[in-house]
Amino acid sequence: MYFVSNFAHGVLTKLAAAGACIGLGAGIGYWVAKEKDTIPNAQDTRVLGSEIAGLKVPAVIPNTDYENEAKPAYYNDTATPMHQRMEALVLDLQDRLVVALESLEPSRKFIRDRWEREDGNGYGISCVLQDGEVYEKAGVNVSVIEGTLAPGQLRSMRERNPQTANKLNANEEYDFRVAGVSVVVHPRNPYAPTAHKNYRRFEVYRKSNKEAGPVLAWFGGGADLTPAYLFEDDVKYFHQTLKQACDAHDPQYYPRFKQWCDTYFTNIHRDETRGVGGIFFDDLEDKAPEDLFHFAYDAGSAFIKAYVPLVAKRMTMPYTLRERNWQLIRRGHYAEFNLVYDRGTKFGLMTPGARIESILMSLPLTARWEYMNQPEPGSPEAHLLEAVRTTTDWAK
């Protein structure tokens, strides 16, 4: 028998009151724990995973060869405003990733939930797959919205970046426009890693003179990997694939964004990173908009190549209740970061008319908080903890 954990409910209540949040395009999950008298031994080796019996890895995973595929029309369409091209990019990234993920899943298709803001200032498309044989929960969300910056949003933007503070007057009103794609995938098999991706372009306009064009515009995003069990070759492949995409535009991007990712995705209260990293950047405006747009295209496309083959590689591995319980514990830590530290949700929840279901999409369907869980020294679980408590150059 399952019940909603009182601890989780209390944390959620307090964090919601404090305004803690996730990122653009995240969704709600269910935090569950088993009653004390039915919690199995963490070392239980009963084989689970009956779903893996019918799984087949496709000979070819679609959309994983972006370097050799023809570029879409919007890629070089400089006659079209950049915000419209970014909208086309995030919709394209959404469609290509959904097709790639569905190529592994025999029992479910993504539902497409298109929504409109009540004030008419934008829309979103939430593609969600739950309770599949390969994916316990996966979300690929697009948001294209505009509005007026709330005072708290403006203050947060100015505080995090001195350059932004110099360009935005604290006493002036500004409108914003943003297009972004946000992805979180929680596979069912504990050996298949969770992953996250987010790419967006943000524009800020003076409310009194929007026709003059954006006062400020930047790109942000990245991708990171969160395994419950560490396969070093998988992590190296993931990082090397992202590095290749970065190096094609600037050899300094990968080391810079990799360090940024390690720093940002940290559960400070546990002194560990959320996973094994990737790349992360924000407020990126160090090159011409056209160059940065092409970088966002390549980095967003590289995620499909970097991640989906890892799910295919691990989704048929046999596992036991021990691995399942550890996966749920790690998902609890994942949720902790998203609710306590992720600043993207702060922006989402501070935006009037925000769609909460989509904002909280990244939370796992199930998670576990086990009192004083300590893996045995030398165990695979302890090996994972060592990896998230140190910094490693995975792209070597």
Side-chain angles (χ1 to χ4, degrees):
M1 175 180 176
Y2 285 92
F3 68 99
V4 177
S5 164
N6 290 333
F7 169 76
H9 182 269
V11 169
L12 178 60
T13 302
K14 293 177 181 178
L15 291 176
C21 34
I22 307 180
L24 177 68
I28 194 128
Y30 297 97
W31 295 348
V32 299
K34 286 192 174 181
E35 292 184 359
K36 183 176 180 180
D37 61 355
T38 62
I39 293 178
N41 188 311
Q43 310 307 316
D44 195 321
T45 57
R46 284 176 291 169
V47 176
L48 301 180
S50 60
E51 77 282 350
I52 70 175
L55 297 181
K56 295 181 180 179
V57 178
V60 177
I61 299 173
N63 302 322
T64 53
D65 189 24
Y66 73 96
E67 302 101 323
N68 298 312
E69 295 170 351
K71 296 293 189 293
Y74 65 76
Y75 185 82
N76 287 314
D77 183 13
T78 56
T80 299
M82 182 58 75
H83 70 271
Q84 293 181 17
R85 294 171 66 193
M86 190 65 190
E87 178 180 357
L89 170 58
V90 298
L91 290 169
D92 182 30
L93 289 175
Q94 181 185 51
D95 287 343
R96 285 190 281 137
L97 179 56
V98 164
V99 169
L101 292 172
E102 284 185 342
S103 72
L104 307 182
E105 175 60 66
S107 67
R108 293 279 194 277
K109 296 292 185 182
F110 280 84
I111 62 167
R112 287 179 175 265
D113 178 18
R114 182 185 173 97
W115 49 270
E116 306 280 343
R117 283 174 55 95
E118 292 182 0
D119 58 10
N121 291 327
Y123 71 95
I125 301 174
S126 297
C127 294
V128 179
L129 190 158
Q130 290 186 160
D131 288 321
E133 294 180 25
V134 175
Y135 311 108
E136 188 165 348
K137 185 179 181 184
V140 186
N141 290 356
V142 159
S143 295
V144 181
I145 61 174
E146 58 185 85
T148 299
L149 283 177
Q153 293 171 324
L154 178 59
R155 181 171 58 254
S156 176
M157 291 166 56
R158 297 183 77 254
E159 288 175 350
R160 79 166 187 257
N161 190 329
Q163 293 182 342
T164 300
N166 291 333
K167 295 180 180 180
L168 300 182
N169 189 325
N171 298 315
E172 193 168 353
E173 284 192 318
Y174 296 91
D175 287 339
F176 72 89
R177 176 183 283 145
V178 60
V181 57
S182 182
V183 177
V184 176
V185 182
H186 296 289
R188 183 172 297 281
N189 195 308
Y191 290 119
T194 286
H196 156 261
K197 175 180 83 169
N198 182 297
Y199 285 96
R200 61 196 175 277
R201 176 175 164 87
F202 200 97
E203 299 178 349
V204 179
Y205 301 80
R206 282 191 173 86
K207 197 173 185 65
S208 59
N209 190 14
K210 192 171 182 177
E211 296 74 16
V215 179
L216 196 62
W218 68 82
F219 290 84
D224 61 286
L225 196 68
T226 306
Y229 286 91
L230 186 67
F231 295 94
E232 293 190 1
D233 287 347
D234 292 4
V235 182
K236 290 177 181 178
Y237 168 78
F238 183 83
H239 277 265
Q240 288 165 355
T241 304
L242 296 184
K243 182 178 184 298
Q244 289 171 2
C246 291
D247 287 351
H249 297 268
D250 190 323
Q252 296 304 312
Y253 272 1
Y254 174 77
R256 176 182 164 194
F257 298 159
K258 193 268 186 186
Q259 181 179 5
W260 202 339
C261 183
D262 289 340
T263 301
Y264 178 73
F265 289 106
T266 296
N267 268 335
I268 299 171
H269 61 287
R270 292 189 180 274
D271 194 26
E272 63 184 42
T273 54
R274 186 173 74 174
V276 292
I279 60 173
F280 176 80
F281 60 92
D282 209 354
D283 303 326
L284 188 65
E285 48 178 338
D286 63 343
K287 300 183 187 303
E290 189 71 11
D291 295 335
L292 294 177
F293 179 74
H294 290 165
F295 167 61
Y297 175 90
D298 284 349
S301 300
F303 174 82
I304 307 175
K305 178 180 179 179
Y307 176 62
V308 182
L310 298 184
V311 179
K313 185 178 180 181
R314 303 297 172 189
M315 68 186 189
T316 58
M317 291 181 65
Y319 62 92
T320 71
L321 199 56
R322 167 179 172 156
E323 288 81 35
R324 173 60 171 168
N325 284 342
W326 177 247
Q327 178 193 47
L328 295 181
I329 289 171
R330 295 308 302 172
R331 284 184 178 171
H333 292 196
Y334 192 95
E336 288 172 18
F337 174 85
N338 286 8
L339 291 172
V340 177
Y341 300 110
D342 195 294
R343 71 179 180 226
T345 314
K346 295 179 182 179
F347 183 89
L349 295 183
M350 285 191 289
T351 301
R355 192 171 191 266
I356 304 303
E357 287 293 324
S358 295
I359 292 174
L360 298 178
M361 177 274 301
S362 70
L363 292 178
L365 195 64
T366 55
R368 181 182 179 101
W369 282 265
E370 186 174 301
Y371 183 69
M372 295 297 289
N373 177 276
Q374 293 293 335
E376 296 177 3
S379 67
E381 294 82 7
H383 186 43
L384 185 280
L385 288 185
E386 291 171 4
V388 299
R389 291 172 179 171
T390 57
T391 299
T392 302
D393 184 1
W394 295 108
K396 279 186 177 179

